[in-house]
Amino acid sequence: MPGPMADPRLNQSTALESRFASNNKAVVVGLYGVSSSGKTFLLDQLKEELGQEYFAFYEGSKMIATVVPGGLDAFQKLEEQEKVHWRQLAIDTIRKKSADSGQVAVVAGHFMFWPEEEEAGWPVYTQNDLDTFTHVLYLDLPADVVAQRRQDDMERSRPSTSVTHLRKWQQAETTQLRRLCRHPGILFSLVSPHPTLLNKVLTLLRDFRHHTEKYNLSHAESRLDEALVAGQG
């Protein structure tokens, strides 16, 4: 005589418990945008507004300088494959720090470089970035604004870049990021320039902190428990 059929809701609850155990990952937010889009400026604003109790803020290049013996000067002289190793170590270090501290990590970095004289840009993200990021925010500024910022930048020497090329560069980055973020389940958002840009990003980061995958799975498990109790009544 066949045994009693298992309650499908129990199976669903068990599946959630297994997923809950395997998805307790750090919340790490990638902040991308073409060169001169304002990533560093926004990062500094976020640090001032949010403090560093629940959040940690990183510039990718500074983290690379920290982990590479000899800093950025030594890094720039390396072969590309060696650079990949140090980029991976930098993001792995951030992920571990975030997991150990419980802080949300916000990482400003480059997705690709694309000099205007080149036919195509070369990506500088790594697979470890995709394995680490839970969210990606992309600063989607108008290309003419970016071009003007590059021209006005007195602190760094930047090559002259046309508005047409900057627009093409942005389109390439956003297209590739949408595709890459889809498979590992990274939440991808465009953030546009607006007087409320800072407030919008602050709201997003606070939401990312509270509504983690762990929280969402726990909430779903609680709702399942309620359904099980109601079904037994």
Side-chain angles (χ1 to χ4, degrees):
M1 179 177 174
M5 291 182 63
D7 189 328
R9 289 171 299 186
L10 285 172
N11 292 336
Q12 203 171 355
S13 179
T14 303
L16 270 172
E17 288 174 4
S18 299
R19 193 174 166 208
F20 178 86
S22 62
N23 283 281
N24 187 14
K25 65 186 292 187
V27 178
V28 183
V29 182
L31 183 61
Y32 282 129
V34 297
S35 178
S36 298
S37 59
K39 298 183 295 292
T40 300
F41 180 71
L42 178 59
L43 198 71
D44 289 341
Q45 286 184 304
L46 294 172
K47 187 186 302 184
E48 183 175 341
E49 291 289 334
L50 293 170
Q52 298 182 69
E53 181 178 1
Y54 301 113
F55 296 86
F57 303 91
Y58 302 91
E59 280 192 63
S61 58
K62 288 184 178 180
M63 179 54 70
I64 290 172
T66 299
V67 299
V68 177
L72 277 181
D73 288 341
F75 175 78
Q76 297 296 349
K77 297 173 184 176
L78 298 175
E79 297 294 328
E80 188 56 36
Q81 195 54 44
E82 293 177 292
K83 289 181 178 179
V84 170
H85 164 74
W86 292 109
R87 288 184 184 120
Q88 290 176 331
L89 181 59
I91 193 64
D92 289 349
T93 301
I94 291 171
R95 174 172 54 190
K96 185 177 187 309
K97 284 176 177 287
S98 179
D100 290 346
S101 67
Q103 293 172 308
V104 174
V106 184
V107 187
H110 297 284
F111 180 76
M112 71 162 61
F113 293 115
W114 194 351
E116 189 156 4
E117 64 273 13
E118 300 289 338
E119 290 188 10
W122 66 88
V124 290
Y125 72 91
T126 70
Q127 182 60 46
N128 293 41
D129 294 317
L130 300 179
D131 292 340
T132 296
F133 290 142
T134 51
H135 309 75
V136 165
L137 300 179
Y138 188 88
L139 292 183
D140 189 32
L141 273 70
D144 59 327
V145 174
V146 177
Q148 189 63 50
R149 285 185 177 182
R150 292 174 69 86
Q151 184 177 326
D152 296 341
D153 191 344
M154 298 300 164
E155 294 185 7
R156 304 184 218 181
S157 176
R158 300 186 188 274
S160 177
T161 308
S162 70
V163 172
T164 299
H165 180 71
L166 286 169
R167 190 173 293 120
K168 184 166 63 173
W169 184 354
Q170 290 174 319
Q171 289 173 347
E173 289 198 334
T174 55
T175 298
Q176 291 187 44
L177 277 166
R178 286 184 192 280
R179 176 178 55 82
L180 290 167
C181 290
R182 189 178 305 127
H183 297 295
I186 301 169
L187 297 180
F188 176 74
S189 301
L190 291 177
V191 287
S192 301
H194 191 273
T196 61
L197 169 64
L198 176 60
N199 287 336
K200 178 179 179 180
V201 176
L202 288 170
T203 299
L204 286 170
L205 291 178
R206 290 181 177 120
D207 185 69
F208 295 164
R209 174 176 170 253
H210 290 291
H211 294 91
T212 61
E213 188 167 15
K214 177 178 178 180
Y215 170 89
N216 291 335
L217 287 170
S218 177
H219 182 66
E221 189 177 45
S222 175
R223 295 295 296 273
L224 270 175
D225 287 343
E226 293 172 7
L228 284 169
V229 171
Q232 292 168 357

